């Protein structure tokens, strides 16, 4: 055996550290591991379980509360992506540490807050998430990535909504429902929902159709008219330019700006996950 | 924005996958993040909190239950190391997946089983662990690594035992206790404990002095005389050769062998964390 | 031994490929290995050997001739940096292949062209260069890097010019010359050169003071008035903005533009290393 | 621009260094880049050009002379593999430095020694080699790798010998020769060579059939009866056990042992590439 005095130095040689390239957006993306089984065991509502999505959002908000350099997070289903500012120096940009601590804290919060959202539906066994870091050097590729994830929400949710409507309301078995949907495009699925079941897909909740976007904003509260930084939970389009224009500080890596309630609330469904209650947000 | 059809291919180029070198032991090592604060908040007993150590061991056993290719795990304080067989093909040896899933499952189990070990002491906030993969190509360096970790248990625990004895029984404040211990070697600390407080360090619980080693063994149960594979929780020396000779199958990457209760139980303190109850282990 | 049919697949698992992050400038930087010894053996002129610098430039130009995606190269002393366009797909951006092929071709050309520049001074043994790839995600950090290298030329060359003037003209031994220069700043060295030896450092050749920058340009030739793409060898400032404004196509990743001879030739000393002869460049 | 004082630190963050895992054989493998074109331009003899193979061997020996920790090298056609001892600490095991310096020196030597082997056949342009490092943690996988390369020599050379015999002696055009060989196994090719052209493939030179293995040995010279360490050039089987048994020191990472001329010279064709002349090797 090697001598004690030399040990640390000896073992350091086996350790491999990798540092995230500077000047690049660090995206930490996590996904539920074997969540098909997990959702079955815990009787999740299909196609969307509001409790489960709220729990995901709560766990993600916890991660953002801990890491101030996360400027945006986007989640859907059992996945979440966290965007660290390009110039963050968190953990000296050590790839393994960033990835593991974010994932561990998220998982931990998921189990910790489970009871709050699921109540009497007990957690039967500990779930797991896998995780990896991906770097995006320029703003446009970061936006491409987030657009890709949100486009994915749309594709999956439209399919799942049609599928579970056929199964639950149409009384088809699952195989038959799959068969009906095979080869259909978006318009076909919209039509099946509307003609056969009177469902206008565009009236489905925004959270289901757009996923959840968490960002930091200053919010003026009605009760005391003070501004507070809080993490806002939005269900809006982030593919087009308007989101990025209304929240210029994100790509500019600047500090959170005052939140302006968008007119008519078409694209935004605001929900605070931090201290303030959204109904108390003052109009600017 | 890029076209939908090309998206997956486009984003794959940003993703970086690394595969663990074949023919190497994969060690996944995790550590509690900011656990000094965590132990203070939750009033852990010092220098060792049995509930906390048992919870660590339970979470680690859960990980071993899920991953059959983990042949050994070693834990102490708020850290745990999991050793995957050299020839494992788990997740195609993808470094990030192995690391993140093991860490996430461990964290998840830690929170999940908290209540079982801490009872009325509520978990106040979700804890986190960091994690990384380290490869050891040859058996001797793997043993060196594990010896290093166990030597670390000894060094830390002797210091902490002396320190907290000076504080709790000696009524010294912490600064004074630090001062007394500054520059002392093992023998000095043993003497302080024995002469001043009548404590024979060697009688301290093995779990505190040796850490916890989890391995897979076939165990013959008294009640039905059948052999079952189970994960055994040991608190024995793993620096010397005898452990490795009694459990040759580990380094040989063979399937679990029958467990022989060591004579006199000097080095072993066996405790099953799986199905069988240790008191029911038949003598071979 | 493993079966032949499975071999390729088996060995691929040991191979580690890494791909350069997309959207990042790929800089391949090489340095002479043990060149102090090499320059002594081959009797290089001090502080600068024009033959050696020209040979470096020729070898670098050869590399640029082979790799069209190299948009700029900067060299000094025994080092050279090659900048590949951010969007290059050369060798699928495989890090090892890019690095090794560039370095091998440079080395090969260095030996191949040796005789052309050194004539009767025979190459006594084969020299070596080390090499690595560094990524710069944004334009400003690429410019910072190149500025750093050019600042380095200035610092080294001023020191070396002063040192060798003290040795050669001042008849000091090397130790004494070092002593005289210890702790001096740029102004001091300029003064020593000017007051003691009548040398105005600013009149030293631009290649010595600014290093060599190779870029691609369209050049109109006097003889036939046709435009040809060629690699230009410049010895100008690349720290300030003017170089980048006169050659906007570099950072824009566009194709080579027409070369405009700068007024008065203050900052530029143009020298073609390709087909055209600079004296034949028509005034635009 | 960033301040000068902080520059080095700033740029270090962009640099990515990777260290080869300890306790692993480091294999540096290089291949000619676009050598089909190169061999055509320089009129290489087909299927094997002795001058070219000797030049490869000479360049490889130069690399071994420089790096004492290379214990074995194996070459064929336009590729060479260099095996560094598992415990080498060369360049702190920095992957990029090891790979680039070995490749650069090899390339450099290839051009430097060209004239010695090719005489009046001038080198028309500088050739290039690509290169990468592959790690083999255990002895058996290193031997597997080398066996794979030597098996490759056999497969390629038998095919090429049959092909070029059909073309040169059989007066077939290349397309016809390819057609004749399509789908044939080794026995078929041997038969074509023997029946149609009277060529016994097993009488072809060992260098063509077995590639070249370079190892370090102590050799007793006839002239002065002294032992000298030299690099031996062998053309023998390295797939079976006998080579490794006769040269146990390689896998044991011990210093070079006395060379024993094998009886009858069946498997060995010894050729010194260093100081001693093989004809002067004394019988042990």
């Amino acid at each position: 055996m090697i001598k004690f005095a030399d040990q640390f130095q000896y073992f350091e040689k086996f350790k491999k550290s990798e540092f995230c390239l500077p000047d690049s957006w660090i995206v930490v993306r996590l996904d539920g591991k074997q969540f098909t089984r997990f959702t079955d065991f815990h009787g999740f509502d299909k196609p969307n379980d509001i409790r489960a999505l709220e729990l995901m959002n709560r766990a993600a908000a916890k991660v953002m509360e801990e890491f101030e350099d996360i400027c945006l997070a986007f989640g859907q289903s059992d996945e979440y992506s966290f965007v660290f500012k390009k110039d963050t120096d968190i953990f000296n940009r050590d790839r393994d540490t960033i990835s593991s601590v974010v994932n561990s804290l998220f998982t931990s919060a998921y189990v910790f807050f489970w009871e709050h959202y699921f109540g009497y539906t007990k957690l039967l066994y500990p779930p797991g998430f896998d995780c990896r870091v991906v770097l995006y050097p320029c703003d446009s590729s970061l936006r491409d990535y987030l657009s890709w994830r949100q486009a994915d929400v749309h594709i999956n949710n439209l399919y799942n909504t049609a599928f579970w409507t056929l199964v639950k309301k149409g009384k088809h078995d699952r195989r038959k429902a799959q068969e009906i949907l095979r080869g259909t495009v978006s318009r076909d699925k919209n039509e099946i929902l509307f003609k056969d079941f009177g469902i206008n897909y565009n009236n489905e909740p925004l959270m289901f159709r757009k996923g959840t976007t968490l960002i930091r904003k200053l919010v003026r509260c009605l009760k005391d008219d003070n501004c507070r930084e809080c993490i806002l939970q939005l269900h809006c389009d982030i593919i087009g330019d308007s989101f990025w224009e209304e929240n210029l500080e994100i790509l500019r890596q600047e500090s959170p700006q005052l939140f302006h309630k968008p007119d008519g609330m078409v694209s935004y469904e605001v929900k605070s996950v931090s201290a303030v209650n959204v109904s108390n947000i003052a109009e600017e």
Side-chain angles (χ1 to χ4, degrees), chain A:
Chain A
M1 202 190 124
I2 55 157
K3 280 183 211 152
F4 276 75
D6 305 328
Q7 283 182 346
F8 183 72
Q9 208 176 344
Y10 171 71
F11 289 108
E12 276 301 289
K13 289 188 179 178
F14 289 87
K15 185 175 146 187
K16 187 176 168 295
S17 290
E18 193 185 328
F19 300 97
C20 295
L21 191 67
D23 289 336
S24 303
W25 299 100
I26 298 174
V27 174
V28 180
R29 175 169 164 192
L30 52 83
D31 281 272
K33 200 77 195 160
Q34 298 182 301
F35 254 53
T36 304
R37 179 174 171 268
F38 185 77
T39 58
D40 285 346
F41 258 71
H42 294 87
F44 278 28
D45 293 337
K46 301 297 171 82
N48 294 286
D49 188 304
I50 292 176
R51 301 165 303 174
L53 294 175
E54 297 272 10
L55 174 56
M56 289 291 288
N57 295 340
R58 184 66 196 89
K62 177 70 195 169
V63 171
M64 279 186 79
E65 285 161 19
E66 286 294 312
F67 296 102
E68 292 193 359
D69 283 354
I70 298 176
C71 56
L72 182 149
F74 180 78
Q76 61 145 324
S77 183
D78 61 345
E79 79 168 51
Y80 239 100
S81 300
F82 298 91
V83 181
F84 280 86
K85 288 158 68 181
K86 284 168 94 160
D87 60 7
T88 185
D89 203 34
I90 184 82
F91 303 131
N92 292 317
R93 298 178 78 89
D94 180 292
R95 193 174 196 121
D96 287 339
T97 308
I98 293 172
S99 169
S100 63
V101 175
V102 165
N103 194 36
S104 180
L105 182 56
F106 182 91
T107 306
S108 191
Y110 190 92
V111 179
F112 184 81
F113 292 119
W114 173 274
E115 196 180 354
H116 181 74
Y117 292 92
F118 278 88
Y120 290 113
T121 303
K122 287 287 170 210
L123 184 60
L124 301 175
Y125 64 87
F129 294 84
D130 68 18
C131 185
R132 84 179 49 239
V133 160
V134 185
L135 302 179
Y136 293 100
C138 67
D139 299 355
S140 65
S141 52
L142 176 68
R143 278 193 56 185
D144 282 347
Y145 169 76
L146 292 167
S147 297
W148 177 46
R149 299 321 304 144
Q150 190 167 60
D152 203 56
V153 180
H154 172 72
I155 291 164
N156 290 336
N157 190 59
L158 177 55
Y159 181 90
N160 290 336
T161 303
F163 176 83
W164 287 102
T165 302
L166 286 167
V167 170
K168 289 182 171 178
K169 300 203 174 160
K171 307 294 179 196
H172 295 290
D173 64 17
R174 296 184 183 198
R175 181 177 308 226
K176 179 69 184 169
Q178 278 181 333
E179 211 172 278
I180 293 169
L181 294 174
R182 189 168 300 133
T184 58
V185 296
S186 291
R187 218 179 51 153
D188 304 327
K189 296 192 192 76
N190 274 311
E191 244 179 63
I192 289 170
L193 284 169
F194 193 67
K195 290 206 173 150
D196 299 354
F197 303 98
I199 293 170
N200 184 341
Y201 179 73
N202 288 326
N203 293 339
E204 290 293 294
L206 277 162
M207 181 162 69
F208 299 172
R209 291 188 292 123
K210 298 292 182 191
T212 297
T213 305
L214 303 180
I215 58 172
R216 296 178 193 284
K217 278 291 182 183
L218 293 184
V219 173
R220 188 179 305 282
C221 291
L222 281 180
K223 61 175 178 186
D224 59 5
D225 211 43
N226 279 340
C227 273
R228 289 184 177 78
E229 185 182 322
C230 72
I231 296 162
L232 285 191
Q233 177 176 326
L234 310 175
H235 309 292
C236 62
D237 177 84
I238 60 172
I239 297 178
D241 290 333
S242 62
F243 171 81
W244 300 96
E245 285 161 4
E246 287 161 17
N247 302 287
L248 282 170
E249 71 270 25
I250 296 175
L251 295 182
R252 285 183 182 164
Q253 305 194 64
E254 291 168 357
S255 53
Q257 301 298 307
L258 199 58
F259 176 68
H260 297 277
K261 251 187 171 170
D263 288 342
M265 297 294 278
V266 173
S267 61
Y268 280 71
E269 179 175 303
V270 183
K271 186 164 176 187
S272 164
V273 290
S274 309
V276 297
N277 187 312
V278 179
S279 59
N280 290 329
I281 295 179
E283 298 284 341
E284 293 295 331

